[in-house]
Amino acid sequence: MFSALDGRPSATRATWVDLMRGTAIVLVVVFHVVTVTEAYSGHTFTRLTGFLETVQGLRMPLLFFLSGLLVPRSLRKGSARYINGKVRLIAYPYVIWSLIMVALLAIGGYFLAWDVSPLTSLLRIVYDPIEHLWFLAYLFLFYVIALLVSKTHAFVPVACSLVLYAIPMDGQWEVFWRFAVFFFVGVLAGRIPAAMDRMSGSFALNVLAVVSVGVLTALPVLGVPVRLPAAPWNVVVAFWFFVGLAGLVRMCQRAPILAPLAYVGRQSIVFYLAHWPIVLFSVRMLADGTGMSAWSIVTTSLAVTAAGTTALAFASERVPAVRLLFEWPPRGTPASRPERVETAVAEGRPTGQRANNDQASPGGDS
């Protein structure tokens, strides 16, 4: 499981990562559909919003934790390859989708009266990420920091991130250091795979994960609010939950019913980048003059978003022009192609062909 991060061959080593990442992405999409619908319809989804707020302290931290978990193996491939991979697979789609969002927001401003300035949006690319693209911007900077501190003890960036978060800061820096904690906790976990295997195999932690999932799901639905400590002060609780959940997922990772969720995890970059504009436009158009109820808007927008993002994910595997929206093509000889496929699957990137879990690796070899 975690020990696969040392680079040894394993047929199933990426599936549990895919499932956990896919779960987080689905929660992000549902959260955005619900909150945008509430903004346009004025309706409040009390119980559903309660559940989404309950897992809010786990959703994005899990994505950053999983990204950090892949760093140690990536670094073992060398600095040049590491930097090349992060530029191709994170910085490049950040720029591409920033330009796409500038264009889409300009269209929304013209047809839907959104209060946006295309010029201001364009300038924000270099200092203030547009809409949902903050995730890629932060992730790229975390990867750069991870390279710079790779020779230090893995606990050092965790401690420094906590200290920097505790210092009052304006703007996005508070959020930046909040999520840096979870990313570098993931890096720390990736450096001790044997210990992580022992912890994730703990029966007590697995049972705790099952009970936690049940409680976090049931209580908000029953109208009982549940509030976790605010991130990153919930890092200890979140860490043990992630480890227990990993062990739980490992036990059922080959269940056919979970295959779609694993696919979302493998193609997470596509689902994350494409979902937000689809949600924005679909909810706005459904809310304006259709007479649909708030619940109808949510279910319809979810269906449209799922269909649109899945279509793009399929296309990114088969159509080079579509794949260019999500990654800059790697350089190398044809003989290196299987290794690049392994890397793409591991990091949730378009592969240019059907993803093969037997080739997958959670190491993020880029």
Side-chain angles (χ1 to χ4, degrees), residues 269-291:
I269 189 69
V270 179
F271 284 91
Y272 183 84
L273 288 174
H275 88 277
W276 180 240
I278 298 176
V279 170
L280 278 180
F281 280 91
S282 64
V283 171
R284 177 60 187 271
M285 290 187 288
L286 290 170
D288 283 354
T290 63

Side-chain angles (χ1 to χ4, degrees), residues 104-114 281 284 288:
L104 292 177
L105 290 174
I107 293 172
Y110 183 81
F111 289 102
L112 302 175
W114 289 345
F281 280 91
R284 177 60 187 271
D288 283 354

Side-chain angles (χ1 to χ4, degrees), residues 52 96 125 159 175 234 258 305 322:
L52 294 172
I96 292 298
I125 295 176
V175 181
N234 68 341
L258 296 178
T305 303
V322 177

Side-chain angles (χ1 to χ4, degrees), residues 350-365:
T351 63
Q353 65 182 56
R354 289 186 179 275
N356 183 349
N357 279 345
D358 293 337
Q359 294 178 305
S361 161
D365 303 337

Side-chain angles (χ1 to χ4, degrees), residues 204-228:
L205 274 181
N206 296 158
V207 171
L208 180 61
V210 173
V211 173
S212 300
V213 169
V215 170
L216 292 177
T217 302
L219 290 183
V221 173
L222 295 173
V224 180
V226 179
R227 293 292 181 271
L228 296 174

Side-chain angles (χ1 to χ4, degrees), residues 43-191:
H43 178 81
T44 300
F45 301 92
T46 306
R47 288 181 171 81
L48 180 56
T49 301
F51 166 72
L52 294 172
E53 289 179 351
T54 297
V55 300
Q56 187 171 4
L58 300 172
R59 185 179 64 241
M60 296 308 295
L62 177 57
L63 286 175
F64 283 111
F65 172 81
L66 292 173
S67 297
L69 190 65
L70 311 179
V71 166
R73 189 181 183 207
S74 293
L75 287 171
R76 283 196 288 271
K77 301 298 181 180
S79 298
R81 181 173 174 179
Y82 178 88
I83 295 171
N84 177 268
K86 304 319 173 191
V87 170
R88 288 194 308 104
L89 302 175
I90 299 176
Y92 168 78
Y94 169 77
V95 172
I96 292 298
W97 279 85
S98 293
L99 296 175
I100 290 174
M101 287 304 303
V102 168
L104 292 177
L105 290 174
I107 293 172
Y110 183 81
F111 289 102
L112 302 175
W114 289 345
D115 185 17
V116 294
S117 166
L119 179 58
T120 301
S121 298
L122 191 62
L123 294 175
R124 285 177 53 193
I125 295 176
V126 296
Y127 71 91
D128 183 18
I130 302 169
E131 304 290 325
H132 64 314
L133 299 175
W134 65 270
F135 175 66
L136 263 67
Y138 287 10
L139 196 58
F140 181 74
L141 292 176
F142 292 159
Y143 279 128
V144 172
I145 296 172
L147 176 63
L148 295 176
V149 301
S150 60
K151 302 303 182 182
T152 67
H153 191 282
F155 186 74
V156 171
V158 175
C160 290
S161 298
L162 276 170
V163 170
L164 288 168
Y165 173 75
I167 299 174
M169 297 183 186
D170 295 329
Q172 296 188 44
W173 286 110
E174 179 183 349
V175 181
F176 179 86
W177 293 116
R178 177 199 310 167
F179 289 120
V181 174
F182 294 96
F183 179 86
F184 288 109
V185 166
V187 176
L188 174 61
R191 288 192 179 183

